[in-house]
Amino acid sequence: MKAVVYEKPYAVTVRDVDDPRIEHPNDVIVRVTSSAICGSDLHMYEGRTAAEPGIVFGHENLGVIEETGPGVVTLSKGDRVVMPFNVACGFCKNCLAGDTGFCLTVNPGFAGGAYGYVAMGPYTGGQAERLRVPFADFNCLKLPPGEEFETDFVLLADIFPTGYHGCELAEVSPGESVAVYGAGPVGLMAAYSALLRGAAKVFVVDRVPERLAKAEEIGAIPIDFSKDDPVRQIKDRTGGEGTDKGIDAVGYQAQGREAGHEEPAVVLNSLVDTVRPTGRLGVPGLYVPSDPGAPDEHAKRGQLLVSIGRMFEKGQRMGTGQCNVKRYNRQLRDLIIAGRARPSFVVSHELPLDQAPQAYEKFDKRVEGYTKVVLHPALAA
């Protein structure tokens, strides 16, 4: 089958790889109809992880079941399904507690597994024509048959639940004010989720005009941090108090006001300053224990200089960690079906699989309006 394969930093190719096969009675094989490129994929694409050449990318996957293992109970050939990016067993201590992003079974020696991602287990990615899904009864979420809501449903694999997770970590409640740092796909989903949860005022901080325009379209207040200190801009609009809640949707490659200059802790420290005393911070943005491309030796080891004293002084609380997608995806699916949510507003491009190399390059450079790309393996080039 054809798949998107990592070659070296800033280079992926589409080439033939082995077809997936049933390896365990609980597996299914899915014919992929949509697979999105995630901002997290760019970390590997840029060489900012330990990813080795040959890894097949893709953890945001939707498709139709082609084959089921003999132990599969609730799924059948022809079912349309979307898979959480988390590969989970469903029966370990963490899965039973709902913490499926930290499964203790699927990736021995590490809490959590995922498709097509470095250090997240032996699971081939879904930017390909087919995908093996383990523990399929647990990991597949059934969707209505057909093609309706395709670009909405594929976002249930990661960014829509992850944005919602940011709001859950920050405990966003109706009537509150929220600051979201980062207007990439996850940041836009966090802002959208905050509005769905009833937030009265949502600020979104970024410097890319197309992203800020998207934030404004959904009713958020855009804050361009290249023009002035974002903390000052937000406090000026909140009577000097700051927001009730804050969300970091940027992570470890955060940049300062000077373009191209990385400051790994700048968003965390800005949130501490932005959020009022006793407010809550949610951090779904990715941080890693090692970053070979970091700007200093401490950051290379995942050690950042965060204003913990200021945070303690303000009595703030912080929630972190990757999203437990299954905690939210069923309810978010039903919001889509009911017409209450349309997360596909972030999708800027739908492309055939063969155009993945160009899509990665443009998405990485934030050019030509590339905000979220969905690859369709069956789409003709």
Side-chain angles (χ1 to χ4, degrees):
M1 68 172 183
K2 292 188 181 301
V4 178
V5 179
Y6 175 65
E7 290 190 324
K8 61 183 180 179
Y10 300 100
V12 296
T13 187
V14 178
R15 61 176 171 86
D16 288 334
V17 302
D18 290 340
D19 285 325
R21 59 183 178 82
I22 299 292
E23 298 179 17
H24 186 277
N26 291 333
D27 290 350
V28 300
I29 304 298
V30 171
R31 172 175 55 82
V32 178
T33 57
S34 294
S35 184
I37 300 176
C38 182
S40 296
D41 292 326
L42 295 182
H43 300 310
M44 294 186 292
Y45 175 75
E46 295 171 354
R48 298 293 292 269
T49 71
E52 296 287 340
I55 185 173
V56 175
F57 284 171
H59 57 266
E60 300 184 36
N61 308 308
L62 179 154
V64 177
I65 294 176
E66 282 196 337
E67 184 181 358
T68 63
V72 174
V73 176
T74 62
L75 304 167
S76 303
K77 181 178 179 179
D79 284 345
R80 185 188 187 202
V81 292
V82 62
M83 283 65 65
F85 77 89
N86 322 114
V87 179
C89 70
F91 53 75
C92 74
K93 186 175 185 178
N94 283 347
C95 284
L96 289 173
D99 297 321
T100 56
F102 303 87
C103 176
L104 301 172
T105 302
V106 297
N107 190 10
F110 190 88
Y115 303 97
Y117 210 86
V118 60
M120 298 299 281
Y123 307 102
T124 300
Q127 288 171 18
E129 293 178 310
R130 289 172 181 80
L131 176 71
R132 179 180 78 92
V133 179
F135 302 104
D137 286 305
F138 187 69
N139 286 309
C140 290
L141 177 67
K142 284 187 184 181
L143 302 170
E147 299 179 359
E148 191 177 15
F149 306 128
E150 183 83 4
T151 52
D152 291 300
F153 285 150
V154 72
L155 303 184
L156 292 172
D158 184 352
I159 68 164
F160 192 13
T162 294
Y164 197 90
H165 182 59
C167 291
E168 192 77 2
L169 291 171
E171 298 182 359
V172 174
S173 298
E176 292 187 316
S177 58
V178 183
V180 178
Y181 277 74
V186 169
L188 289 171
M189 287 295 96
Y192 190 54
S193 297
L195 292 166
L196 286 173
R197 289 167 68 108
K201 190 178 291 187
V202 179
F203 301 95
V204 177
V205 181
D206 208 292
R207 65 154 138 238
V208 179
E210 293 91 346
R211 293 179 168 188
L212 291 170
K214 286 278 188 185
E216 191 167 25
E217 284 175 16
I218 62 170
I221 301 166
I223 300 291
D224 186 342
F225 75 87
S226 69
K227 294 183 177 179
D228 192 13
D229 175 30
V231 177
R232 180 162 49 245
Q233 292 186 64
I234 292 171
K235 286 195 170 182
D236 285 347
R237 290 166 172 80
T238 55
E241 181 179 79
T243 59
D244 298 304
K245 305 293 170 61
I247 296 169
D248 174 358
V250 179
Y252 73 106
Q253 287 185 259
Q255 296 192 359
R257 290 184 61 194
E258 182 183 336
H261 175 63
E262 287 193 13
E263 297 180 31
V266 68
V267 169
L268 292 171
N269 287 324
S270 294
L271 277 177
V272 170
D273 288 338
T274 300
V275 175
R276 66 173 176 79
T278 72
R280 178 94 178 186
L281 316 180
V283 185
L286 179 65
Y287 289 88
V288 293
S290 63
D291 171 16
D296 61 69
E297 291 304 312
H298 285 289
K300 286 180 180 179
R301 298 192 297 273
Q303 299 169 352
L304 307 183
L305 194 62
V306 178
S307 300
I308 188 69
R310 179 70 170 146
M311 184 181 173
F312 180 91
E313 182 181 66
K314 296 179 77 172
Q316 295 168 335
R317 292 175 295 159
M318 178 187 291
T320 70
Q322 71 176 14
C323 176
N324 306 299
V325 172
K326 279 186 62 70
R327 184 172 289 175
Y328 315 110
N329 66 350
R330 188 176 302 274
Q331 297 94 319
L332 297 179
R333 175 201 63 186
D334 293 346
L335 283 177
I336 292 169
I337 293 171
R340 298 285 303 280
R342 285 290 179 271
S344 59
F345 75 87
V346 301
V347 175
S348 59
H349 294 76
E350 297 181 64
L351 301 171
L353 196 68
D354 287 345
Q355 291 187 21
Q358 301 96 304
Y360 266 92
E361 180 182 4
K362 291 178 179 179
F363 184 30
D364 185 59
K365 293 179 178 177
R366 277 63 165 177
V367 298
E368 298 180 23
Y370 273 68
T371 55
K372 186 67 175 178
V373 182
V374 177
L375 301 172
H376 300 294
L379 193 65

